[in-house]
Amino acid sequence: MDSSESPTETKKTKSKTPRKNKETVLKQKSPAEFFAENKNIAGFDNPGKSLYTTVRELVENSLDSAESISELPVVEITIEEIKKSKFNSMIGLIDCERVDAELYDDYETEKAREKRLAKEARAQEIQAKNAALGKKVKETPASKGIRGRGEASFYRVICKDNGKGMPHDDILNMFGRVLSGTKYGLKQTRGKFGLGAKMALIWSKMSTGLPIEISSSMRNQSYMSFCRLDIDIHKNIPHVHVHEKRENKERWRGAEIQVVIEGNWTTYRSKILHYMRQMAVITPYAQFLFKFVSDAPEKNVTIRFSRRTDVMPPVPLETKHHPSSVDLLLIKRLIAETSKQNLLQFLQHEFVNISKSHAERLIGEMGPDFSPKMALKSLTPQQLVRIHQLFRQAKFDDPNGHCLSPAGEYNLRLGIIKELHPDMVATYSGSAQVFEGHPFIVEAGVSIGGKNVKQGLNIFRFANRIPLLFEQGADVVTRTALKRINWSSYKINQLQDKIGIFVSIVSTKIPFKGTGKEYIGDDITEIASAVKYSIKQCCVQLKSKIVKKMQAREQQERKRNLSKYIPDATGAVYNVLKDMAETQLHASKKFRYGDDDGELLRKVYENLITKETLSEKLAKHVEQVDYEMALEYATQSGVSEEPRETIYIKPLETENKIIDLHSPFFVFRMFH
């Protein structure tokens, strides 16, 4: 270095070396990191909502697992409250006392404490004066302790089911890699995004740092898989603590998941219990056992939702895309994944409702550059755009609903009766309809009365057999029930009657609004019309029941009125008959009336017919008329309004000749 250069000049020369601005560096985020930063997208807005969403995701995964193998679901969900001291011991943290009290957010100054105590004293003084004057005294609310922002509540959520379980080698990716799952494809499923339990794991990692534990065993497996893992947020890969095979002595099959998270049971208790109740309505073939366990026994909750039926909906089938529902990107992906070689085979086998002759007509309409035998790999980007344009303009038959698995009118009705015990209920299941090439089915139920039902409209919404509890105001079901149904025309009082409205929509693509998947928009005409029609069909059924009930009530009122006036009517008639008999006998010493009338008057005159006997005859006549009306009413209204279940009777081990007499409700068998 030249001696003439100063150190300062050297530093200035080096500092002129160009540096790359940090803001211009291209960065990437893994899916796990994205959802960790935007957890509200998956329903993890706050600790309370996170507890609710965790329960929901685990329960729905358990139901899907059992239904996929046509097993009647048995789901046990337990929320165990973990105190701060216990949580600290779980993570190996030693409790320590506060040294600087003023450092904490819940610190109360002496002045603030005096002010609070003075306010409480004034409230007690006012309460004592009101009690002395005989006024109604309101209970003084318990003084709420000051809760710091840093104080958190922790819960262990355990979900156990009798489903198909998970393959040993797949557990790591199923729980430790975001956007990996088995529910992708065109199929009706409860979940779609491949998040669910993985978001619960991410929330656990963010709020407690504890891993998730999974136990699983599949049919015909001699071992049980056990795994303890968390997730590497930045790389979106599982971080495995334990992954081993254990002895399965009890031959148990299913899955059990345990996760420790921060939550808030106090504010979301009603939402979680409401969710479980609605799930019991839409899946009456499932058995749920819900428990909340706390160190304080008075806070413990145990609710069993029993199975009501063995009838399960069919397993939803995966279907192919309808031509009118595909976009250009999807067409390119289908071409890349198909095993077909030419255009004719591709159109015929990769889409629904395109027969061979229809495919040939479509290819002829595409232009001279297309032919049935042309190779798919030879299609240019411009030709793909032409195919997409024709798909949007051409006419295709609507897809059928065979790929859908609705709850069924029987199960919906059964679930409503089991959980609400209404006075009357009507259900309706519509036929498959289509929006944007996706089939959907709307089922509805309307009930009147019941336990734990408030006056007015009580709306219960389901999408692919999942209860929707949030953002109800903008939902298509809510808006239809409030604005498009004239309840009074069906003899239903919208404000005073206890009305339960149940609407279940199933589809290969539920058009949710927003990322939270909490409500269905009101802007799809096909769905809005189907919802309105389904509710109206239920109301029509209820109207006939209500009218018949009103008629029966009027008949009872008429009987009551007739019975009330029997003594007066009997006295008046008897006095007239008595006067007629005495007048006629004294006038001519014989009766001028016919044989029957003369005999009646003679019996009255001789006291063979008294006022008491006449009253008894009139009461019998009123009873007979009432019985005939009741019989007519029962004949018109049907045998029973309760849901009917199939009953199997074991045949006799004889070879007697038999004759079967069939009716819509039973079979009567006669033996010779």
Side-chain angles (χ1 to χ4, degrees), residues 42 178 191 387 402 545 555-556 621:
V178 174
I387 294 174
H402 294 164
K545 297 179 182 180
Q555 290 171 1
Q556 292 176 356
H621 179 71

Side-chain angles (χ1 to χ4, degrees), residues 18 42 144 171 186 209 221 223 266 403 458 461 609:
K144 295 181 179 178
I171 293 177
L186 198 63
Q221 273 187 355
Y223 61 88
T266 305
C403 60
N458 298 267
R461 303 167 294 134
I609 294 179

Side-chain angles (χ1 to χ4, degrees), residues 105-382:
D105 185 59
D106 58 357
Y107 173 72
E108 187 178 26
T109 63
E110 188 65 28
K111 186 176 180 180
R113 182 174 178 274
E114 291 177 358
K115 187 176 180 180
R116 176 174 60 83
L117 293 176
K119 185 178 179 181
E120 291 176 0
R122 285 196 302 269
Q124 291 177 359
E125 185 179 348
I126 293 172
Q127 192 175 25
K129 287 181 179 180
N130 290 337
L133 295 173
K135 294 182 180 180
K136 189 176 181 181
V137 179
K138 294 182 180 179
E139 290 186 10
T140 306
S143 179
K144 295 181 179 178
I146 300 173
R147 182 184 176 93
R149 289 191 300 268
E151 188 176 347
S153 299
F154 302 100
Y155 302 88
R156 177 185 283 110
V157 182
I158 307 170
C159 186
K160 184 177 181 180
D161 63 64
N162 63 334
K164 67 177 180 180
M166 294 164 279
H168 182 79
D169 296 331
D170 291 346
I171 293 177
L172 303 183
N173 285 330
M174 291 178 75
F175 286 89
R177 194 185 299 273
V178 174
L179 300 184
S180 65
T182 60
K183 297 181 180 180
Y184 298 123
L186 198 63
K187 183 179 179 181
Q188 175 195 324
T189 57
R190 287 189 171 91
K192 275 287 187 186
F193 296 159
L195 288 173
K198 278 157 282 204
M199 272 306 304
L201 174 55
I202 290 176
W203 175 246
S204 174
K205 188 176 179 66
M206 294 174 68
S207 60
T208 68
L210 293 173
I212 193 171
E213 292 186 357
I214 306 107
S215 300
S216 172
S217 180
M218 302 185 71
R219 182 178 293 169
N220 299 325
Q221 273 187 355
S222 59
Y223 61 88
M224 179 178 69
S225 302
F226 177 79
C227 186
R228 184 185 296 117
L229 60 85
D230 60 28
I231 187 170
D232 188 321
I233 299 293
H234 302 291
K235 296 181 180 179
N236 191 32
I237 58 174
H239 177 217
V240 183
H241 298 256
V242 179
H243 187 209
E244 61 187 16
K245 297 178 180 179
R246 296 181 175 179
E247 190 177 0
N248 186 10
K249 295 181 179 180
E250 299 178 357
R251 296 292 178 182
W252 167 71
R253 186 193 70 225
E256 181 179 89
I257 300 170
Q258 296 189 30
V259 59
V260 178
I261 60 172
E262 181 185 350
N264 190 331
W265 166 255
T266 305
T267 56
Y268 273 77
R269 176 183 185 275
S270 60
K271 285 291 185 184
I272 293 173
L273 295 180
H274 195 45
Y275 168 80
M276 294 303 301
R277 188 186 187 197
Q278 289 201 32
M279 189 59 83
V281 169
I282 202 66
T283 54
Y285 52 87
Q287 177 178 306
F288 297 99
L289 178 62
F290 177 85
K291 293 181 181 179
F292 177 79
V293 181
S294 173
D295 292 340
E298 66 274 7
K299 293 174 63 177
N300 289 350
V301 177
T302 300
I303 303 177
R304 183 182 298 275
F305 299 92
S306 301
R307 179 181 295 119
R308 182 63 180 82
T309 178
D310 292 345
V311 179
M312 293 179 64
V315 178
L317 305 174
E318 189 165 355
T319 186
K320 297 175 182 177
H321 292 274
H322 191 270
S324 61
S325 69
V326 299
D327 53 38
L328 188 59
L329 189 63
L330 181 57
I331 293 175
K332 292 180 179 179
R333 182 170 68 82
L334 291 175
I335 289 176
E337 294 176 355
T338 186
S339 60
K340 307 304 177 184
Q341 300 298 320
N342 58 54
L343 182 59
L344 178 65
Q345 292 176 340
F346 173 71
L347 296 179
Q348 186 180 349
H349 295 284
E350 294 297 333
F351 300 94
V352 295
N353 295 7
I354 297 183
S355 61
K356 183 177 180 181
S357 59
H358 196 184
E360 291 173 345
R361 291 175 60 192
L362 289 171
I363 294 172
E365 191 65 24
M366 290 176 187
D369 296 336
F370 294 85
S371 66
K373 299 296 184 182
M374 70 182 304
L376 289 176
K377 295 181 179 179
S378 66
L379 290 171
T380 64
Q382 292 78 13

Side-chain angles (χ1 to χ4, degrees), residues 89-109:
S89 65
M90 289 172 60
I91 61 176
L93 180 64
I94 300 174
D95 289 333
C96 59
E97 296 182 359
R98 294 183 178 184
V99 178
D100 187 355
E102 295 183 13
L103 185 65
Y104 294 89
D105 185 59
D106 58 357
Y107 173 72
E108 187 178 26
T109 63

Side-chain angles (χ1 to χ4, degrees), residues 574-585 591 593 601:
Y574 184 77
N575 290 337
V576 170
L577 292 175
K578 190 77 171 174
D579 291 343
M580 289 175 62
E582 291 177 352
T583 302
Q584 182 63 28
L585 184 62
F591 295 109
Y593 298 96
L601 292 175

